[in-house]
Amino acid sequence: MNINKNYENLEQSYLFSTVAKKVSEFSSKNPDKKIIKLGIGDVTLPLCKKVIDAMHKAVDEMGVQATFRGYGPEQGYDFLRKAVQGYYKTHNVELDLDEIFISDGAKSDLGNILDLFNQDNTVLVPDPVYPVYVDTNIMAGRKVIFIDANGDNCFLPLPDKNVKADLIYICSPNNPTGAAYNREQLKAWVDYARGMGAIILFDAAYECFISDKEIPHSIYEIDGAKDCAIEFCSLSKMAGFTGTRCGYTIVPNALGKLNKMWLRRQTTKFNGVPYIVQRAAEAVFTEEGQKEIKENLNYYKENAKIISETLKKCNVWHVGGKYSPYIWLKCPNNMKSWEFFDYLLENAQVVGTPGSGFGNNGEGYFRLTSFGSKENTVEAMARFEKLFG
Ligand SMILES: *Cc1c(COP(=O)(O)O)cnc(C)c1O
């Protein structure tokens, strides 16, 4: 027996455990001080009514012989694939039903898609980034190269024609930075990928936060993208499905074999998302469902605005917030990420996430999220203003 030695090349991630440890140490020393957590990377508002109603109904169906369901199609029920197809139409993207694959979330698909690609492919990943892209490729023994996202390019790096890559990760709006590419910038990536015969793996997990016509929701809004891109999306941030689990991946037929290979991969290694969850997901795409999830998204976006406006008042450089639940700020007074974490915890009892945990270029930056309550966000920002205003 030989183990997969590539696992030894993974960097230990102490980010969230170190945050938790520092917070618990502080609170045991200062039991009277109220800590506000703006480091949360998970939704906090409950599922909307339309979703819950659909789930209840599906649960009842499962208890009746005539409507009981066993194994479903591995790639998802047609009712949900049609709902996703209709959703893409609202962004002027036409998809065939067999290009849409329902899954238990974007994270699994982002990892699993690598089954389709040879180990000798070179992978291009922006730095800083969602750690899943790097770690899944390290596990498979693939070579990862980085492209710098930094203050100079407002954390939206553009392709460099001198860099050769086969697989390219793009996350827009971005986690952790909240920065989102406009049409022209995405076009540059599509042209670059097509010119090289590379595939873009486009993570659209935060597309639902976009409310500006200049910012595409889907990479397929760009001409030529169906020839070079696979898109991943999820109901996690869109509709609070982080614990319910449902997402979808688009593999265009224009990518040739890849569409059938992904179908083969899923039918071999995956047995589908629960019927009950797919009915809940279908409800998200109804008119009422969309209205209800927008209310929740607007709640988070309002928090993001409160954070962003406070940072502006304090002259703190930042991106994000406008099209995402994340605000990415440059630590005041040139502090390092962890130094700022400690300072903020000690002096304002506000917790965020050190940017250095997302890559080398994250050093000196800090992530705040809008997933907290409005009351806590307002109070945290009042404390912030006292320190830096
Ligand atoms: C939250 C998140 C996802 C969604 O993952 P799920 O597995 O669908 O919950 C995907 N990509 C990024 C960058 C995320 O932050």
Side-chain angles (χ1 to χ4, degrees):
M1 188 290 298
N2 291 312
I3 59 159
N4 181 351
K5 286 264 206 265
N6 295 319
Y7 278 66
E8 290 166 13
N9 299 326
L10 293 167
E11 285 200 33
Q12 290 294 339
S13 174
Y14 295 115
L15 179 60
F16 291 101
S17 57
T18 308
V19 167
K21 191 165 149 252
K22 281 178 181 267
V23 171
S24 92
E25 276 171 13
F26 180 88
S27 65
S28 56
K29 271 191 226 142
N30 305 276
D32 52 320
K33 295 208 164 138
K34 182 189 164 196
I35 294 172
I36 300 178
K37 292 181 180 165
L38 296 186
I40 317 165
D42 194 356
V43 296
T44 52
L45 293 173
L47 296 172
C48 69
K49 181 166 184 312
K50 185 85 187 167
V51 165
I52 291 300
D53 288 348
M55 252 172 150
H56 277 300
K57 184 162 168 268
V59 166
D60 288 340
E61 283 177 49
M62 293 297 276
V64 175
Q65 180 75 65
T67 50
F68 167 78
R69 311 264 184 147
Y71 290 124
E74 291 89 344
Q75 66 274 39
Y77 284 104
D78 275 358
F79 64 77
L80 181 53
R81 298 166 89 197
K82 281 181 184 154
V84 171
Q85 190 182 42
Y87 183 66
Y88 271 86
K89 266 203 188 118
T90 66
H91 301 134
N92 300 313
V93 174
E94 298 284 339
L95 296 176
D96 290 335
L97 225 47
D98 65 357
E99 296 177 313
I100 302 167
F101 296 84
I102 306 301
S103 75
D104 63 347
K107 192 191 202 177
S108 355
D109 278 8
L110 281 160
N112 294 335
I113 199 78
L114 296 175
D115 272 15
L116 311 193
F117 302 101
N118 222 333
Q119 191 184 353
D120 62 9
N121 285 303
T122 296
V123 181
L124 181 64
V125 179
D127 168 9
V129 84
Y130 183 53
V132 171
Y133 311 152
V134 175
D135 288 352
T136 50
N137 278 292
I138 300 280
M139 287 173 181
R142 239 173 245 111
K143 185 177 168 207
V144 178
I145 55 175
F146 292 95
I147 179 161
D148 290 331
N150 51 40
D152 293 339
N153 54 35
C154 289
F155 288 90
L156 292 170
L158 289 171
D160 172 353
K161 296 219 161 44
N162 300 316
V163 175
K164 293 282 296 165
D166 305 299
L167 297 173
I168 301 158
Y169 284 86
I170 299 178
C171 179
S172 176
N174 189 276
N175 179 11
T177 69
Y181 284 107
N182 66 24
R183 233 161 269 282
E184 193 190 329
Q185 292 166 326
L186 274 187
K187 179 81 170 82
W189 278 109
V190 167
D191 291 345
Y192 166 76
R194 290 179 76 190
M196 246 174 357
I199 295 278
I200 294 173
L201 302 174
F202 189 79
D203 187 343
Y206 297 94
E207 62 79 20
C208 52
F209 284 85
I210 296 168
S211 50
D212 180 332
K213 291 210 161 36
E214 287 309 301
I215 311 291
H217 289 255
S218 161
I219 193 154
Y220 305 122
E221 292 179 51
I222 308 301
D223 277 343
K226 280 188 181 170
D227 298 336
C228 67
I230 295 174
E231 180 161 296
F232 304 84
C233 201
S234 165
L235 280 82
S236 283
K237 316 296 163 28
M238 176 200 278
F241 272 52
T242 50
T244 307
R245 311 303 310 144
C246 194
Y248 45 92
T249 290
I250 312 299
V251 187
N253 283 315
L255 293 179
K257 279 188 185 148
L258 288 175
N259 176 282
K260 289 291 168 290
M261 283 170 71
W262 181 242
L263 178 66
R264 184 59 194 261
R265 192 267 167 214
Q266 290 299 79
T267 51
T268 303
K269 294 196 187 179
F270 182 60
N271 246 336
V273 177
Y275 173 71
I276 297 162
V277 172
Q278 292 194 56
R279 281 297 184 196
E282 181 191 24
V284 169
F285 296 106
T286 61
E287 206 181 315
E288 263 176 84
Q290 286 291 302
K291 231 168 80 192
E292 290 179 8
I293 64 158
K294 291 245 155 66
E295 281 172 30
N296 287 359
L297 291 171
N298 284 339
Y299 182 90
Y300 297 136
K301 282 165 78 165
E302 182 63 32
N303 286 345
K305 209 165 141 191
I306 291 165
I307 297 172
S308 182
E309 275 169 7
T310 306
L311 296 179
K312 265 183 218 149
K313 262 197 238 166
C314 301
N315 285 319
V316 174
W317 189 97
H318 64 285
V319 289
K322 206 165 164 196
Y323 316 116
S324 88
Y326 302 121
I327 292 94
W328 181 254
L329 61 100
K330 184 157 186 350
C331 302
N333 308 325
N334 287 320
M335 278 187 252
K336 298 214 165 208
S337 297
W338 279 109
E339 198 184 344
F340 184 62
F341 175 92
D342 291 334
Y343 184 86
L344 207 55
L345 177 60
E346 195 66 41
N347 297 288
Q349 291 80 58
V350 172
V351 177
T353 313
S356 54
F358 298 100
N360 292 335
N361 287 330
E363 181 58 274
Y365 290 86
F366 202 72
R367 190 188 79 172
L368 294 175
T369 86
S370 67
F371 285 133
S373 72
K374 180 169 180 182
E375 295 72 18
N376 280 344
T377 305
V378 168
E379 192 181 333
M381 286 303 105
R383 294 180 190 175
F384 193 97
E385 210 179 325
K386 244 188 188 163
L387 281 180
F388 300 106

